[in-house]
Amino acid sequence: MEKKLGAKLVKGYLSGTATPKEQRVVEEWYAFNRLEEPAIDSPEDFIRIKSEMWAAIDTQSRPQVRIFEKRKWLPYAAAILLFVGILGIYEWQQSPQEYEVANYAGAEIKAGHEGATLLLSDGTEIDLAAANVGEITTKQGVAISKNAQGVLVYSANDTEPQVNKAISNTIVTKNGEMYQVVLPDGSKAWLNAASSLTFNSDLATSATRTVKLQGEGYFEVSKNSRPFIVATASQHVRVLGTHFNINAYAESKGLVKTTLIEGKVNVVSSSGERIIKPGEQAVNRLGQINVHEQDTEEILAWKNGFFKIDGNLHDIMLSIGRWYNMDVQFTADAPKSLNLWGYISRSNDLVTTLRQIERTNKVKFKIKERTLIVTN
């Protein structure tokens, strides 16, 4: 293994493809050989000497090898042993390190940010975080632009001919991203991390304003006589003009939560429908809808830049994992059902957030690269 890694490092160094760490390993070995005899004039010499060194080691056990023949390799042996030692340090530095939160010494894991990707049915794909302010593109008579606040805005473009065939738009947020969009009909939508929203470019003129949601989204629907429908995998919400939040993440296994902030909505599933009032939440579990009162401040905390923690540890950690783009794993003794309450800013780095939760003295965290381990 050391021979293969050594050759790979030297080859990368000579070709100019080595990383800064790899360059340092080769240069430290080279510097040693410039100070100790025998001097080596080029990195190419290392490959030759290293090959000869391993050959000599392989023959050391043979009786015909004389003492002075082995001695002449001692300076080379010292150089090789040092190089192997440096390789060991290099491999240790490169291997994933596991840290407890209390003494975390890895790279800063920053909070999520404004960002999303726009996918159009004609194959166009646009990174919205990297897109410049102003008009991005025009499709089927609809101009798509990004305003100074970073919000994606759809509006009619009178200079472009209207086309009967609508084009599908999908806005996708990855883990660690959230985004706001003004839809073609003037409605506003905010997408939480790991979510997607799909709608047609003719949303402003179609008989029914229908959008499809995966993940979590908050909607402020413009008032209109044409119904606005948010469809998820197991239900659809029908409104005319209102403010509401829908949580429909795939890991919830069919559980969809619809929380009404203002107005009136009708939640329809395969087993029936329920109308809910402001301050109520409809919980759809495999088609069965139950309604209860809900703290709307908690539901909208993500949109307003906070984690309002009021629930079990399992759900809280999934939300935190999505925002910081971390894979969350629970040990067998992790207190998944532990109920917690509090406020934490979503602008904190991950370690600061976890330390605040650890103050409960009921849960501990470990970090290993992009994996967050939850334990008792």
Side-chain angles (χ1 to χ4, degrees), residues 60 62 77 137 171 180 193 195 202 234 262 288 307 344 356:
Q60 280 184 7
R62 299 176 186 174
T137 186
I171 300 174
Q180 181 187 353
S195 302
D202 65 350
S234 60
E262 176 186 306
Q288 298 298 321
F307 293 106
I344 300 176
Q356 288 185 257

Side-chain angles (χ1 to χ4, degrees), residues 235 237 244-246 256-260 267 276 280-282:
Q235 71 172 38
V237 173
F244 60 98
N245 190 88
I246 298 180
V256 181
K257 299 177 181 178
T258 305
T259 309
L260 184 59
V267 181
I276 60 175
E280 290 184 338
Q281 182 179 83

Side-chain angles (χ1 to χ4, degrees), residues 45-223:
D45 289 338
F46 163 72
I47 298 175
R48 174 182 55 78
I49 294 172
K50 191 162 181 274
S51 176
E52 293 173 357
M53 180 63 206
W54 286 112
I57 291 174
D58 289 341
T59 59
Q60 280 184 7
S61 59
R62 299 176 186 174
Q64 67 270 27
V65 177
R66 291 174 293 177
I67 296 298
F68 71 88
E69 288 179 327
K70 286 192 285 186
R71 283 178 180 172
K72 72 177 182 178
W73 290 103
L74 289 179
Y76 296 105
I80 294 296
L81 289 175
L82 176 65
F83 188 81
V84 170
I86 294 173
L87 287 181
I89 295 172
Y90 170 78
E91 288 184 312
W92 176 81
Q93 290 175 336
Q94 294 298 104
S95 62
Q97 301 298 302
E98 183 175 287
Y99 299 98
E100 292 186 351
V101 167
N103 56 10
Y104 183 75
E108 180 185 13
I109 302 174
K110 296 181 180 179
H113 60 279
E114 295 281 340
T117 302
L118 174 62
L119 308 175
L120 303 180
S121 56
D122 66 355
T124 302
E125 185 172 327
I126 301 169
D127 181 347
L128 297 176
N132 294 325
V133 172
E135 185 170 317
I136 298 173
T137 186
T138 298
K139 298 289 183 181
Q140 310 294 58
V142 175
I144 306 173
S145 59
K146 178 179 175 181
N147 67 21
Q149 290 72 44
V151 177
L152 193 67
V153 179
Y154 285 75
S155 58
N157 187 333
D158 297 332
T159 63
E160 292 288 328
Q162 296 292 325
V163 181
N164 292 329
K165 185 179 180 181
I167 190 168
S168 174
N169 299 253
T170 300
I171 300 174
V172 179
T173 57
K174 302 173 184 176
N175 281 337
E177 293 183 335
M178 66 177 293
Y179 207 75
Q180 181 187 353
V181 58
V182 178
L183 299 170
D185 70 327
S187 297
K188 298 177 182 179
W190 286 256
L191 286 180
N192 204 349
S195 302
S196 70
L197 185 68
T198 301
F199 53 92
N200 285 340
S201 56
D202 65 350
L203 195 68
T205 57
S206 58
T208 300
R209 300 176 289 169
T210 301
V211 302
K212 296 178 181 179
L213 173 71
Q214 293 182 350
E216 184 168 21
Y218 172 73
F219 298 87
E220 293 183 356
V221 177
S222 63
K223 295 186 184 300

Side-chain angles (χ1 to χ4, degrees), residues 338 340 355-364 376:
L338 174 67
L340 299 174
R355 284 175 178 169
Q356 288 185 257
I357 299 176
E358 280 194 347
R359 290 176 185 172
T360 62
N361 293 321
K362 295 182 182 296
V363 62
K364 289 281 188 182
N376 197 350

Side-chain angles (χ1 to χ4, degrees), residues 253-308:
K253 298 179 180 179
L255 183 69
V256 181
K257 299 177 181 178
T258 305
T259 309
L260 184 59
I261 311 302
E262 176 186 306
K264 184 174 68 174
V265 303
N266 189 22
V267 181
V268 182
S269 73
S270 59
S271 300
E273 58 185 87
R274 294 287 298 271
I275 294 176
I276 60 175
K277 299 178 296 185
E280 290 184 338
Q281 182 179 83
V283 179
N284 177 356
R285 189 184 301 273
L286 302 178
Q288 298 298 321
I289 302 174
N290 294 303
V291 177
H292 64 263
E293 291 186 356
Q294 176 64 47
D295 177 7
T296 57
E297 187 179 352
E298 174 194 345
I299 298 302
L300 297 184
W302 70 266
K303 171 182 168 289
N304 298 327
F306 290 92
F307 293 106
K308 185 178 182 185

